[in-house]
Amino acid sequence: MTTRPHRIAVAPSGFKESLSAARVAEAIAAGVRRVIPDAELDLIPLVDGGEGTAEALALAGGGRLVPCTATGPVGDPVSSHFALLGGPGPLTAVVEMAAVAGLALVPPDRRHPGATTTYGVGELIRAALDAGARRILVGCGDSGTSDGGAGALQALGARLTDRHGREIRPGGGSLHELEHIDPAGLDPRLADADLLVACNPYNVLCGKRGVARVFGPQKGATPAEVELLSAGLERLAAVLTRDLAPAFAPASGATALDLRTAPGTGASGGLGAGLASVGARLLPRYDVLLDGLDLDARLARADFVITAEGALDHQTVRGKIPAEVARRAQAAGIPVLVLAGTIGPGAQDVRAVGVDAYSAILPAPMTLGEAIGRSSEFLADATERAMRIMALGTRLTRLDPLAA
């Protein structure tokens, strides 16, 4: 009697500042093949709007990357890019905010979210419009900013001024000084463009779960700076609602978006709210980014699913890729293993969304630099260990007829 090969779906996220999702998938596949050489592997590298999104969508959609130079998060020029996708319909561009305002572009000694800016995001949107795009998808994730999209609005032509009529300084730390937004200089092409923001709907601009309080400390903010940023984003929401949003009001009968608390307004340090104020639609990121991958059907065909991310912790269940993969696999009754660079507080919460087991990949304490440099090797080794443990469990089950 012959048995068919194991069918394993490998659907990971990338490891930030280390490996792309495609390279993570390849490393996991290498580890699987050491134990099950004839396994049928379906590699499904996934992106969440952060690093690698533009490239991944360009490859999936028959498009290309367009290199350009734009203003980075600390104000210096950086080499960046956006993507132009293929296919029918209006020309679609993908602007990956991490490619111009991501945390990886902020030197460790300059990680002060009160000073970093999304100005380059607005420049990329204008570059996409210059290239003829009339549908622009902005991927949010891995940001190094907390300016509520103020910088992007300035790059798009809006004037943000204080009570003396002076343009406010870059960064979220000056938003509490904001008095007025003049939309007269906004790029007129925005009115005819379909601007979509792929964002994590769990992230909101203001309140107890506001983006400054949740993510500010990760970006280098002290407790006092977190409160200043929170106050500034509250001020920004009020002024955007008064001065800018009315010019891009939804069609008659539609409910106006609450820029303080609507899902996704806190995406990428509040970039979601800033772009929503000029007519962007805030969409759950996986509804947009997984379109065309046929993910549910591919997971359902598998016997087993392996996913991965850099850090597994309490935030994973709030819209991270392993949680999304597990939720979809659970609906099809497929078991899921998560491999993670690190495991932090709250990681156990992933069991509630369909994760059957999880494991860290680091074999011993080491420096961050070594962990990043050898992450592909560690992933393959950790996958091999996990597969051998699973094989042992299968053999034990066969020995004990009561275990089935």
Side-chain angles (χ1 to χ4, degrees):
M1 177 180 177
T2 60
T3 59
R4 62 170 175 78
H6 292 80
R7 294 181 297 206
I8 301 174
V10 181
S13 168
F15 280 25
K16 310 308 180 189
E17 302 183 57
S18 176
L19 296 176
S20 68
R23 290 188 62 197
V24 170
E26 291 165 0
I28 291 173
V32 170
R33 290 192 179 103
R34 294 175 188 172
V35 184
I36 313 175
D38 64 344
E40 292 183 359
L41 296 175
D42 185 9
L43 305 191
I44 320 170
L46 301 175
V47 291
D48 61 4
E51 293 176 11
T53 293
E55 180 180 14
L57 295 187
L59 290 173
R64 62 186 175 90
L65 285 182
V66 179
C68 57
T69 299
T71 303
V74 297
D76 300 327
V78 297
S79 296
S80 189
H81 58 261
F82 62 93
L84 292 175
L85 305 186
L91 182 61
T92 298
V94 179
V95 170
E96 174 192 317
M97 84 84 61
V100 72
L103 187 60
L105 296 174
V106 184
D109 61 347
R110 299 182 70 180
R111 292 191 172 177
H112 306 297
T116 50
T117 178
T118 55
Y119 195 91
V121 178
E123 291 178 318
L124 292 189
I125 292 173
R126 295 190 82 149
L129 291 169
D130 290 343
R134 291 300 172 263
R135 183 174 184 266
I136 300 175
L137 172 62
V138 180
C140 289
D142 304 327
S143 72
T145 58
S146 192
D147 73 349
L153 293 175
Q154 289 172 315
L156 290 168
R159 290 192 72 244
L160 281 68
T161 56
D162 62 18
R163 62 190 181 92
H164 300 292
R166 298 174 300 203
E167 196 88 13
I168 63 171
R169 293 170 287 108
S174 63
L175 290 177
H176 67 285
E177 301 172 357
L178 180 64
E179 185 66 28
H180 179 63
I181 299 177
D182 181 0
L186 277 170
D187 193 316
R189 295 173 295 181
L190 288 171
D192 299 320
D194 189 13
L195 192 58
L196 310 175
V197 180
C199 55
N200 187 340
Y202 287 100
N203 293 343
V204 299
L205 187 67
C206 302
K208 292 181 179 179
R209 296 292 302 172
V211 67
R213 290 192 169 90
V214 175
F215 295 106
Q218 297 179 12
K219 299 173 183 179
T222 66
E225 288 169 338
V226 165
E227 293 309 311
L228 181 65
L229 289 171
S230 295
L233 292 173
E234 290 275 2
R235 180 61 184 164
L236 176 66
V239 180
L240 286 174
T241 301
R242 184 194 68 200
D243 294 350
L244 198 53
F248 295 87
S252 178
T255 302
L257 194 68
D258 182 348
L259 296 180
R260 294 183 67 257
T261 60
T265 52
S268 289
L271 177 65
L275 294 181
S277 70
V278 292
R281 289 184 285 155
L282 307 185
L283 303 175
R285 54 186 171 183
Y286 298 122
D287 290 355
V288 180
L289 300 173
L290 303 185
D291 185 34
L293 287 179
D294 199 21
L295 180 61
D296 290 331
R298 293 168 75 176
L299 295 178
R301 287 193 292 267
D303 301 311
F304 178 54
V305 175
I306 303 176
T307 183
E309 73 168 332
L312 193 74
D313 56 28
H314 67 282
Q315 292 187 20
T316 301
V317 296
R318 298 180 62 82
K320 296 294 185 72
I321 281 176
E324 181 69 13
V325 169
R327 182 180 65 80
R328 292 169 181 253
Q330 184 182 51
I334 311 300
V336 176
L337 167 69
V338 179
L339 298 173
T342 61
I343 293 176
Q348 69 277 2
D349 295 347
V350 298
R351 296 195 181 100
V353 296
V355 172
D356 295 276
Y358 56 84
S359 179
I361 70 168
L362 297 182
M366 64 187 64
T367 65
L368 177 60
E370 183 179 4
I372 290 175
R374 300 177 64 188
S375 53
S376 181
E377 170 193 344
F378 293 151
L379 258 174
D381 291 346
T383 304
E384 179 183 359
R385 291 194 297 271
M387 299 309 296
R388 293 195 183 282
I389 290 171
M390 289 177 59
L392 174 61
T394 301
R395 289 175 61 192
L396 290 175
T397 299
R398 289 172 180 167
L399 291 173
D400 183 359
L402 298 178

